[in-house]
Amino acid sequence: MHKRYEPILYRRTLGRLLLQDQQKIREGLLLDIDDAEADLRAEDFKTAYEKFREIGYFIQDDSIKILKVYCLNKFILRSDMDLELSSLLPNRFDKDVVEYMHEIGKVRPQLITREVLDYVMKYRGMIERLPEGRDVLTAAAGAALRVKSNLHAYRSLLLDHAQELPKERLLRLCRLLAEQPDADPELTQKARDAVKLKYDFDPEFQGIL
């Protein structure tokens, strides 16, 4: 019982403390922001990011999110790093976020969640005009295939980028479509065309569609 309710009790206790010490916390956060900005100016991006990340637990603000992304774009990302994406999405289009999304698509595509996909769809036209835009949209299309229901939700994205999908993602698309071959003739034909163009003689694709 204690384990079950411990997170709730923690949040209630934290909430009471925040109300009691609101002014002190605000002043402390402002000092933390000044410190993080100083690290940013000194090009100590790792320290600045860690500080902005801590600040982000208390301030869900677009400017903090974008500053975190700015720092992350200075790193060489690896799959074993403690990375985030959906928590960094601002309420507006930002090209630095798209640049970061491009790198995430290479190292941790599983972070491209439905929330990220919805952001991509909302700003799809603007993303496509960026140098890395097509790659970002293709990675998003591939990530959408993790969930079967996304075939309908992100159909237009899949239609436009079927031929650009990497082999494993195209194979996944073909297998999903094969479960209901008559449900979406246009998308099925797009998948067939992509297979014919790139994998016509690959035995893994034979007999699926």
Side-chain angles (χ1 to χ4, degrees), residues 121-170:
M121 294 299 290
K122 184 176 181 179
Y123 299 109
R124 183 175 168 184
M126 299 171 78
I127 290 171
E128 193 161 21
R129 290 193 287 272
L130 296 175
E132 67 274 15
R134 295 287 302 178
D135 290 339
V136 170
L137 294 173
T138 299
L145 293 169
R146 284 199 297 271
V147 180
K148 184 178 177 181
S149 62
N150 285 347
L151 280 179
H152 175 71
Y154 304 105
R155 178 180 180 272
S156 63
L157 191 65
L158 291 163
L159 277 170
D160 287 349
H161 296 276
Q163 293 192 350
E164 299 164 60
L165 290 172
K167 179 180 175 180
E168 54 150 325
R169 295 288 85 196
L170 181 58

Side-chain angles (χ1 to χ4, degrees), residues 9-141:
L9 294 170
Y10 172 77
R11 286 196 297 272
R12 288 186 64 187
T13 302
L14 180 60
R16 286 198 297 269
L17 289 171
L18 288 173
L19 287 172
Q20 291 168 7
D21 298 317
Q22 192 172 25
Q23 183 60 30
K24 290 181 182 178
I25 291 169
R26 182 178 179 277
E27 291 170 358
L29 285 171
L30 289 173
L31 288 173
D32 289 341
I33 291 170
D34 288 342
D35 286 345
E37 288 178 346
D39 292 326
L40 199 61
R41 287 192 294 272
E43 298 188 357
D44 185 354
F45 300 113
K46 184 178 185 302
T47 303
Y49 170 70
E50 292 300 333
K51 289 179 180 177
F52 283 128
R53 191 172 192 177
E54 290 176 4
I55 293 163
Y57 291 130
F58 297 94
I59 303 176
Q60 301 295 319
D61 180 77
D62 277 2
S63 60
I64 299 298
K65 292 176 182 180
I66 290 168
L67 284 167
K68 287 163 72 178
V69 169
Y70 179 81
C71 293
L72 285 164
N73 280 339
K74 300 296 182 180
F75 304 159
I76 297 174
L77 302 185
R78 303 188 314 272
S79 60
D80 61 340
M81 293 172 69
D82 183 18
L83 298 170
E84 54 181 327
L85 179 53
S86 62
S87 58
L88 298 175
L89 297 176
N91 294 311
R92 58 181 173 81
F93 175 76
D94 184 84
K95 64 182 182 62
D96 287 335
V97 171
V98 178
E99 181 185 336
Y100 175 65
M101 201 181 294
H102 183 221
E103 297 304 316
I104 285 289
K106 299 175 187 177
V107 299
R108 291 280 293 282
Q110 61 269 32
L111 291 181
I112 303 176
T113 60
R114 188 160 192 139
E115 188 177 3
V116 177
L117 290 170
D118 289 342
Y119 182 89
V120 166
M121 294 299 290
K122 184 176 181 179
Y123 299 109
R124 183 175 168 184
M126 299 171 78
I127 290 171
E128 193 161 21
R129 290 193 287 272
L130 296 175
E132 67 274 15
R134 295 287 302 178
D135 290 339
V136 170
L137 294 173
T138 299

